[in-house]
């Protein structure tokens, strides 16, 4: 049963959401303060975290940044006003998705379920059936969801890993933003292009000094690095 942590200072929100998530086979636990939430994340094993933007002690953005220092757990941000900038900032900090308030509980459950399915799924292998892709300076183990850059492990969020796996499935092929969004998740129209660009930017930064993701203007993105045989 997936275990989810909600960090939101609205004490009236946790009880109904806990009941609702249970209907869909998920255990929801809650914390009203970021310090309490961080302590729970460090002490236990959770499959995803839901963070409100407006929190005491530190806002949801700062909390997301703190979590990302220690964990690649999937994160869904709750944006109080549904503002585009809130969503952009959350994505830039490493959030995997966002849900604007007010929201229907079923939508939140659906977003979390989508992320969990993506985390559990193994990306489709190439025609030869291998789950290990090796390029010059870059190794991608699809079974273990592990990425090595020049032999050093690179910590990626689930969204970043899925993006890299998609590009690595067909090196050199240009994937449009729509292709990428269909693989990763659905966003509201005004953030379609921006969401993809943010995730690509995060991934590029983590893969430095490798320069293996190329942008083709008005077309999309491609993995441009020579493939080599596994050792």
């Amino acid at each position: 049963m997936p275990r989810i942590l909600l960090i939101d200072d609205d004490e009236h929100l946790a009880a109904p959401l806990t009941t609702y998530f249970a209907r869909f086979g998920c255990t929801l636990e809650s914390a009203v303060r970021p310090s309490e939430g961080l302590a729970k994340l460090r002490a236990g094993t959770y499959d995803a975290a839901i963070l409100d933007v407006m929190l005491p002690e530190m806002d949801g953005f700062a909390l997301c940044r703190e979590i990302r220092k220690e964990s690649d757990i999937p994160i869904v941000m709750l944006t109080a006003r549904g503002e585009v900038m809130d969503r952009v900032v959350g994505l830039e900090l490493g959030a995997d998705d966002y849900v604007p308030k007010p929201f229907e509980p079923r939508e939140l459950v659906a977003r979390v379920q989508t992320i969990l399915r993506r985390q559990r799924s193994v990306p489709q292998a190439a025609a030869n059936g291998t789950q290990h892709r090796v390029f010059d300076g870059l190794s991608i183990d699809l079974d273990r969801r592990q990425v090595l850059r020049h032999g050093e492990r690179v910590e990626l969020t689930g969204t970043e890993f899925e993006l890299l796996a998609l590009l690595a499935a067909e090196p050199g092929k240009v994937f449009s933003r729509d292709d990428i969004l269909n693989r990763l998740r659905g966003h509201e129209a005004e953030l379609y292009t921006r969401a993809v660009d943010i995730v690509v930017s995060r991934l590029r930064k983590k893969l430095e000094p490798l320069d293996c993701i190329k942008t083709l203007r008005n077309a999309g993105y491609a993995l441009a690095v020579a493939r080599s045989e596994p050792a």
Side-chain angles (χ1 to χ4, degrees):
M1 181 177 288
R3 191 178 177 203
I4 317 301
L5 180 63
L6 169 70
I7 305 178
D8 193 312
D9 62 339
D10 183 353
E11 298 182 10
H12 300 291
L13 184 62
L17 281 182
T18 298
T19 300
Y20 202 86
F21 268 79
R23 289 171 53 188
F24 294 89
C26 297
T27 298
L28 183 73
E29 300 179 21
S30 62
V32 296
R33 304 183 73 82
S35 57
E36 179 189 359
L38 286 171
K40 286 191 172 187
L41 285 171
R42 289 164 179 158
T45 301
Y46 293 90
D47 297 286
I50 303 169
L51 315 180
D52 190 21
V53 169
M54 304 300 292
L55 289 168
E57 298 181 340
M58 67 178 78
D59 63 27
F61 303 131
L63 179 57
C64 180
R65 188 182 294 111
E66 287 301 309
I67 292 173
R68 280 289 170 255
K69 290 178 181 178
E70 306 175 17
S71 173
D72 62 356
I73 184 175
I75 293 175
V76 176
M77 302 287 295
L78 302 179
T79 60
R81 298 172 300 280
E83 291 184 357
V84 170
M85 187 52 62
D86 282 355
R87 305 174 202 180
V88 169
V89 172
L91 289 169
E92 287 176 337
L93 292 175
D96 293 273
D97 207 346
Y98 59 83
V99 176
K101 286 186 174 181
F103 57 84
E104 292 293 331
R106 184 67 187 93
E107 179 187 4
L108 180 58
V109 170
R111 296 293 187 96
V112 172
Q113 287 178 324
T114 296
I115 289 175
L116 293 179
R117 282 195 299 269
R118 195 166 69 229
Q119 287 290 103
R120 291 192 295 265
S121 67
V122 176
Q124 292 185 350
N128 60 8
T130 182
Q131 295 293 323
H132 195 193
R133 307 187 193 284
V134 180
F135 305 89
D136 286 349
L138 182 66
S139 174
I140 306 169
D141 188 327
L142 301 179
D143 284 324
R144 298 178 181 177
R145 300 180 70 86
Q146 179 175 288
V147 175
L148 301 178
R149 179 198 57 228
H150 295 308
E152 178 183 359
R153 183 164 181 172
V154 180
E155 296 295 337
L156 301 181
T157 67
T159 301
E160 293 160 357
F161 182 88
E162 290 295 331
L163 171 60
L164 181 58
L166 175 64
L167 298 178
E170 298 183 68
K173 175 181 175 179
V174 179
F175 289 88
S176 70
R177 290 177 175 85
D178 285 342
D179 292 334
I180 295 171
L181 283 164
N182 287 336
R183 171 64 178 269
L184 301 183
R185 60 172 176 266
H187 274 296
E188 295 178 16
E190 75 258 23
L191 263 187
Y192 273 178
T193 299
R194 183 62 170 142
V196 172
D197 293 343
I198 290 170
V199 178
V200 170
S201 176
R202 280 170 21 198
L203 181 57
R204 276 180 170 150
K205 185 173 182 180
K206 290 186 177 183
L207 293 178
E208 290 177 349
L210 292 178
D211 181 21
C212 54
I213 300 178
K214 301 301 181 183
T215 303
L216 284 86
R217 188 175 181 84
N218 299 323
Y221 299 98
L223 188 71
V225 62
R227 190 160 190 167
S228 51
E229 293 300 322

